[in-house]
Amino acid sequence: MTARLESLKRLESVLENFLGRAVELEINNLNTVSRIDSLDEIARLSLKGRLVNQQLGNWFARNRDYLDSDRLKETEVETIANLLSEIKKGLDSSDPESRKLADEIERWKEKGVVPKRKLILKMKSPAGGMSITEKFADYLGREKVLLEQEEYSQEHLLSILDDILKSAEAKEDHIYIHLAGSIIYFLRMNGYKVSPYVKRLKQIEKERLGIAYAE
Amino acid sequence: MLNDGVKAYLRALAALKDKDYRTGVGYLKIAQNQFDNSPDFRILKETTELLLAVKEEIFELEVENSEVKELI
């Protein structure tokens, strides 16, 4: 029995060493992707309309050296840029702390760490450059991406609407208002009672866009 | 956004780095659909599962040994 135990312990040691080396090979990759993973978590929270100032500030503080280094690969840069771009859309420009974080994102962009990259290239030029039809198509495309989030895959459209309305309340980006309106209209067409949601949306429009309706 | 499979793989690697093999194998199972075509992934998962089986066997033998010693 002792010989068997010894053999098993040797095997255990061999397997642990093997796994240790295999993981070590992945470790740089792991560190990088862990950073991206934590930024991804922040972006997800932001998409839900949560305040992410503190998490984002901490993320920048923890990853300053990494962002300053030349070690970033093009794909990493692109992923980080896209996530920061998503997060930035959700920052409230009326809040000084959020403005500071938005400036921080801009600063990385200017330094080329979040380079003159796809973050900018992917976005069409604002207002002047897009026709109203292109703007509408752009909204529809972005709305589709929002709705295809993993967390919505099992949700009823009413729950999604509730979440989108929360985002519309919290975020500067007007896309949430448009998407909420679109979902409300679709639900109404399908016989759902939508008046509480309409009321919420009207209130948000009033606060965010300055549009008021006669009661 | 990172998909759930990639996230699970990352968490598996972090757990394996900390020698938390049980947690690691749990995350590898979640990540399986995403990486099932990767031989590296399969080796990692199967090695971790084998290691857990070996550890279990060692534990049982050690318990058995100590019981025998107590009897003697």
Side-chain angles (χ1 to χ4, degrees), chain A residues 100-111:
Chain A
K100 205 172 146 195
L101 287 165
D103 289 347
E104 179 92 341
I105 293 173
E106 284 305 311
R107 196 170 68 81
W108 292 116
K109 268 201 300 186
E110 281 163 20
K111 281 182 76 176

Side-chain angles (χ1 to χ4, degrees), chain A residues 4 9 16 37 44, chain B residues 2 7 55 57 62 65:
Chain A
R4 185 155 179 242
K9 285 196 168 177
E16 280 192 341
D37 185 35
R44 282 171 193 253
Chain B
L2 299 178
K7 280 167 127 23
K55 281 181 178 294
E57 184 76 19
E62 282 178 339
N65 272 350

Side-chain angles (χ1 to χ4, degrees), chain B residues 33-59:
Chain B
N33 286 343
Q34 177 88 19
F35 296 97
D36 216 19
N37 292 329
S38 157
D40 288 352
F41 176 85
R42 286 210 305 274
I43 289 170
L44 198 66
K45 180 170 170 285
E46 281 165 23
T47 307
T48 311
E49 284 169 345
L50 179 60
L51 177 60
L52 281 173
V54 168
K55 281 181 178 294
E56 215 161 290
E57 184 76 19
I58 289 172
F59 175 75

Side-chain angles (χ1 to χ4, degrees), chain A residues 53 88 91-106:
Chain A
N53 291 6
K88 189 166 174 252
L91 294 174
D92 181 0
S93 61
S94 62
D95 168 48
E97 197 186 4
S98 299
R99 274 206 306 273
K100 205 172 146 195
L101 287 165
D103 289 347
E104 179 92 341
I105 293 173
E106 284 305 311

